[in-house]
Amino acid sequence: MEFFKLKKDIPFMRYGKVTTAISLLTFVFAVWALATEGLNLGVDFTGGTVMEVAYTQPAQLDKIRATLEHTGLPEVSVQTFGTTRDVLIRLPLKGNTTSSKTSDTVMAALKAQDPAVELKRVDFVGPQVGKELYDNGALALVVVAIGILIYLALRFEWRFALAAIIANVHDVVIILGCFAFFQWEFTLTVLAGVLAVLGYSVNESVVVFDRIRENLRKMRKTSIPDIIDSAITTTMSRTIITHAMTQMMVLSMLFLGGEALHNFALALTIGIMFGIYSSVLVASPILLMLGVKREHFIKDNKPKEGVASDGAQV
């Protein structure tokens, strides 16, 4: 399916060095933000108290949040959970305050606002558990990256694998850098979004790389930059349609999904935008710099004896 068909290839590789330099600058900025600001880790990673309360009427989150802020509790996270009457409250660790004392303080404040509020459960995430979740999350990112590297190396060759993994790491670091710079809360749902972006980005890279490999075999007299330009241009319509539809769904979660899905959708939004950019203007120029050649995919350029190059008998 194509909404439009370009008659002339767009010379992306002509600007490959420029786009690579821009990518390098944004990557360095993201690393700087991570190094200086650090991630604003949520209760899932730092430890704290998680409470679920129920109301008889749809909960007014703004009033609940304002009530809890007046108690002096730090960085309270309030969101609906399941239905509009169920509310999930997350509170980070505060000094030597116990989970029981924290929950009593919260319930006293909420009952003063609405006596009908009911406590359904209280969970305490210790700092050790939070650290284990953080370590396991980092391990998951590394395992996924290695799996992608092996998959692409087997499907194509090491140059394609290296180019794709650099582009994917670029996307992940940009997402983490944005969360560090703006100090958005980084939770397990955000980590799930980052892992989803890894898979999403590699899918786009595979589509472009498949067309490059095909062109390397078919366009025998064409230069490598022109082959890559042709591959990107011919997949452009598919790229626009796919990313536009995906972005529409993610934006609906971002603006209509409430606080529970906000940061998850935010991570996906950043990842999709940079995923388009990196698969076209990061992975492909790096592939060109690594010196991909058609000989890597054409083992024998000479026609067999008794057979012409077009397959006809001689």
Side-chain angles (χ1 to χ4, degrees), residues 40-223:
N40 178 22
L41 299 175
V43 175
D44 299 330
F45 298 117
T46 60
T49 303
V50 179
M51 301 175 59
E52 183 183 348
V53 297
Y55 287 82
T56 56
Q57 300 293 329
Q60 298 180 342
L61 299 184
D62 292 338
K63 289 185 178 180
I64 296 173
R65 195 174 291 111
T67 300
L68 295 180
E69 287 176 354
H70 289 155
T71 63
L73 295 171
E75 301 177 12
V76 179
S77 172
V78 180
Q79 63 190 58
T80 53
F81 184 73
T83 68
T84 57
R85 292 180 295 177
D86 295 323
V87 177
L88 193 68
I89 302 172
R90 299 171 183 264
L91 304 107
L93 290 173
K94 182 182 178 182
N96 296 323
T97 304
T98 63
S99 176
S100 176
K101 185 177 181 180
T102 300
S103 62
D104 290 342
T105 302
V106 170
M107 287 307 299
L110 294 181
K111 283 187 175 294
Q113 181 194 46
D114 185 352
V117 64
E118 178 186 353
L119 178 64
K120 297 184 70 174
R121 68 181 175 95
V122 179
D123 293 328
F124 177 71
V125 180
Q128 182 62 33
V129 175
K131 185 178 182 305
E132 289 179 3
L133 289 173
Y134 184 83
D135 293 342
N136 291 338
L139 179 62
L141 281 174
V142 173
V143 170
V144 169
I146 293 175
I148 290 172
L149 186 67
I150 294 173
Y151 165 72
L152 291 174
L154 294 175
R155 177 160 181 170
F156 299 101
E157 58 141 15
W158 70 267
R159 292 174 181 82
F160 287 83
L162 184 58
I165 205 66
I166 291 174
N168 285 355
V169 169
H170 167 270
D171 297 342
V172 170
V173 172
I174 293 297
I175 296 173
L176 298 179
C178 288
F179 271 79
F181 182 76
F182 294 104
Q183 285 297 288
W184 296 324
E185 187 179 27
F186 190 87
T187 61
L188 280 175
T189 56
V190 177
L191 177 61
V194 173
L195 292 173
V197 167
L198 270 175
Y200 186 86
S201 296
V202 75
N203 176 69
E204 184 62 31
S205 298
V206 166
V207 170
V208 176
F209 285 173
D210 256 333
R211 187 56 60 91
I212 292 175
R213 180 173 59 178
E214 180 183 340
N215 288 350
L216 286 169
R217 292 168 176 166
K218 291 168 55 179
M219 305 168 67
R220 300 293 183 91
K221 296 181 180 180
T222 308
S223 65

